[in-house]
Amino acid sequence: MTTEHQVAFFLRELETGDTWRRAAAAKGLGRLGGTEHAAVLVRAAADPAPEVREGAAVGLGRLGVPEAGAEVLPALMDDDDPWVRRRASLASTRLGLSDREVVDAYGRLLGDPDHHLRINALEALRELGVPGDVPALVRLMGDPVHRLSGLAWAMVRDFRKDPNVEAEVVRTAQWGEDTARVRALLMLPDQPTEQLLPSLLRVLTDDPSTEVRCAVAFRLARVKLPEVQYALFATLEAERDPEMAIQLLFLLGRSGDERLLDPASRWLSDERAGPSAAIALGSVGGRTATKLLRAALTAQATHAHTLAAAAKAYGEMGRWDAVWLLLPLLDHAAPEVYEGGLRGLDAMADTGFRPWERAAVARALVTRLDVAPTLVGVTERVLTGLAEALPGLRKLVDRTTSPIVRAAALSLLDPRNATDAGTPHDLPLFVRHLDDAHPWVRQAAAEGITHWVEETGTLPPGEERLRDRLTALESDPDDFVREAAAEALRALDDCRNN
């Protein structure tokens, strides 16, 4: 059947077919018809059957005649049937319609009960570069459909300099529904207007929604006015909601203000807010904070997450007894406590361990280097420069089955990190692992050879055989291994020439 015969068939079906045949004919006519058939589809858009009106909307979108679409699609976007509205909105987008009637229709669809239509409307308005129905747009920031609320949030940010959008954001921040209100609050400027500030301060203490109060606290924490900071500390002092306490401890904890001591000490035993309280105490420092954190670290009843946060905070404080309080935590059953203790030691490593602490730290961490693969890098930082760790690391290189740990151990034997690694007894370890199955290990071995040659200023025994193995690695499938091998060969050349 030729195209002309098919078009003629569709035209007859639109006149005499049943509902479903008329609907199919309208869609088919949009695919195969021409401009002259636009009027037929416009008439079909008034069909009493919603299936046919839907077909007409699809057909008009396919036909590609914007004038015809503009004539009926805005009305179809207000149709009682959601499928008609959906197809009409998609057809309008496909035709690139941008007149006032279409924009208004998209704006009305922002409040449609069908979330697909709300998404269609948002995407179309964003493409057109207009916000549409501003109150409806801002309300959608609180839509329960995650994709919708995210799209609305992005659009409001795009149009936040529009005076109407800006005014609606402020209105929603003051009186909107909770979820949209939270997002509007987070969009307010860092320094709210004098008219808005009293309202925010009332919400901080009086609003029944914890989420809203947390958002207000986040915004007010950026305001450096003394009366605002006083209000935040006063709210924390009287707070009974753990979630709000967590937010305030986090926001105010960076200040190191001694006003944190009393509320932080009260929340330290709370399962949810305890970690935030521990971090806040660490930022304050001093005798009282030290006493409270030390008690938390030694009490059996301390919750695991609080214990982890206290360990990290105590390590950052660098107290004289920190190493001896943190090392036992490495044997704790909860992995988060192990991590907290390790991160506390990591903080201490920045300033260096005392001579009488070094051996104990080295022994504890070398034996635990492969306890948590995701924390190998942290353990490696703590062990860097500890010569006391070298005997255990040399054994670990060949004993461990973990390529991550093997590579870390080789890196720690690097003469840049270990003071006595420039002697030949480390070189066989680097050479032996040039053929390791894992690229991280091959890379670490090649880098170890480079730095051994550079630090000692001598050519290694069996230099020619070593050159052959490094030359072979220049064809390694891993880019970093190839670069490390090339660098090792350059180090050998420089050493020979010098």
Side-chain angles (χ1 to χ4, degrees):
M1 183 182 292
T2 65
T3 299
E4 290 182 0
H5 287 110
Q6 287 180 297
V7 169
F9 172 76
F10 292 145
L11 291 171
R12 287 195 302 273
E13 289 293 298
L14 277 169
E15 294 294 332
T16 61
D18 61 21
T19 297
W20 292 105
R21 292 170 75 91
R22 294 200 310 278
K27 296 175 183 178
L29 189 62
R31 187 176 64 254
L32 298 179
T35 305
E36 67 275 15
H37 301 113
V40 177
L41 291 176
V42 168
R43 290 195 299 273
D47 195 281
E51 296 84 2
V52 180
R53 297 197 299 275
E54 178 192 346
V58 173
L60 285 166
R62 291 173 175 174
L63 195 63
V65 182
E67 297 80 7
E71 186 177 344
V72 296
L73 288 175
L76 291 179
M77 291 163 70
D78 286 326
D79 197 275
D80 291 338
D81 188 279
W83 281 97
V84 177
R85 298 197 300 273
R86 190 183 298 186
R87 299 301 187 190
S89 66
L90 293 173
S92 297
T93 303
R94 186 170 183 172
L95 292 173
L97 301 183
S98 59
D99 55 278
R100 186 71 232 174
E101 290 78 8
V102 171
V103 171
D104 289 345
Y106 282 134
R108 290 190 291 275
L109 289 179
L110 291 177
D112 197 278
D114 184 334
H115 78 273
H116 296 288
L117 279 161
R118 300 198 297 275
I119 291 174
N120 290 352
L122 277 174
E123 292 179 337
L125 289 168
R126 192 171 191 181
E127 184 68 25
L128 292 173
V130 294
D133 184 335
V134 172
L137 172 63
V138 176
R139 278 197 303 273
L140 282 180
M141 293 197 301
D143 198 279
V145 178
H146 181 71
R147 182 184 173 194
L148 255 170
S149 60
L151 283 172
W153 166 272
M155 274 192 68
V156 173
R157 287 191 65 83
D158 288 345
F159 295 109
R160 63 186 180 275
K161 294 184 179 179
D162 182 302
N164 293 326
V165 175
E166 183 180 19
E168 186 61 28
V169 167
V170 171
R171 192 203 68 78
T172 303
Q174 292 178 289
W175 301 293
E177 295 296 326
D178 283 356
T179 307
R181 189 180 184 190
V182 167
R183 291 199 160 186
L185 283 164
L186 296 177
M187 283 188 176
L188 292 176
D190 287 348
Q191 300 298 328
T193 63
E194 292 183 6
Q195 294 81 4
L196 186 57
L197 193 55
S199 173
L200 293 178
L201 289 172
R202 285 195 298 274
V203 172
L204 181 66
T205 55
D206 298 341
D207 199 273
S209 168
T210 299
E211 192 177 10
V212 169
R213 293 177 63 223
C214 285
V216 170
F218 177 82
R219 181 52 64 216
L220 290 177
R222 299 174 180 235
V223 180
K224 301 308 178 186
L225 296 174
E227 61 268 29
V228 173
Q229 293 298 305
Y230 174 84
L232 289 169
F233 276 106
T235 302
L236 176 60
E237 182 65 38
E239 192 56 53
R240 293 295 178 266
D241 187 310
E243 294 304 318
M244 186 64 176
I246 290 170
Q247 177 76 312
L248 288 167
L249 287 166
F250 169 75
L251 294 170
L252 300 174
R254 303 172 187 174
S255 68
D257 195 299
E258 289 190 353
R259 286 177 289 181
L260 288 165
L261 287 173
D262 182 60
S265 66
R266 287 190 291 105
W267 286 106
L268 194 59
S269 60
D270 185 84
E271 185 173 2
R272 286 180 288 175
S276 299
I279 294 169
L281 288 170
S283 73
V284 176
R287 181 179 298 177
T288 301
T290 298
K291 183 178 179 180
L292 288 167
L293 287 174
R294 188 183 292 132
L297 289 170
T298 55
Q300 292 185 347
T302 304
H303 297 286
H305 289 288
T306 302
L307 191 55
K312 184 174 182 295
Y314 207 71
E316 290 171 347
M317 292 169 68
R319 304 298 300 179
W320 65 269
D321 57 348
V323 166
W324 313 115
L325 287 173
L326 297 181
L327 286 180
L329 299 182
L330 301 180
D331 293 320
H332 198 280
E336 60 267 28
V337 176
Y338 171 84
E339 180 174 353
L342 180 59
R343 292 195 181 278
L345 292 169
D346 186 26
M348 298 186 68
D350 292 338
T351 55
F353 295 104
R354 299 172 181 86
W356 54 87
E357 298 170 336
R358 294 168 61 92
V361 173
R363 283 195 303 271
L365 293 191
V366 168
T367 59
R368 294 172 176 84
L369 190 58
D370 56 358
V371 166
T374 58
L375 297 174
V376 168
V378 182
T379 309
E380 186 177 348
R381 284 200 305 270
V382 180
L383 289 172
T384 295
L386 288 180
E388 294 83 352
L390 297 178
L393 289 169
R394 290 175 182 126
K395 296 176 182 177
L396 186 62
V397 169
D398 288 324
R399 187 179 69 236
T400 182
T401 59
S402 167
I404 300 176
V405 172
R406 194 155 57 248
L410 285 171
S411 296
L412 286 164
L413 294 176
D414 187 316
R416 298 173 304 170
N417 296 331
T419 55
D420 71 343
T423 53
H425 62 268
D426 281 325
L427 184 62
L429 289 172
F430 297 134
V431 175
R432 187 158 67 246
H433 288 92
L434 286 173
D435 298 326
D436 196 277
H438 298 277
W440 300 328
V441 181
R442 297 197 297 275
Q443 178 188 348
E447 290 173 347
I449 291 170
T450 298
H451 301 129
W452 188 91
V453 172
E454 290 174 346
E455 291 294 320
T456 63
T458 60
L459 291 170
E463 178 201 351
E464 291 305 320
R465 292 192 301 276
L466 178 57
R467 281 181 177 275
D468 291 340
R469 295 177 70 178
L470 290 170
T471 300
L473 284 182
E474 287 190 299
S475 301
D476 194 274
D478 186 272
D479 292 342
F480 293 105
V481 175
R482 293 198 299 271
E483 292 172 8
E487 188 64 28
L489 286 168
R490 282 193 290 271
L492 290 172
D493 290 339
D494 291 343
C495 186
R496 173 176 284 181
N497 293 333
N498 292 332

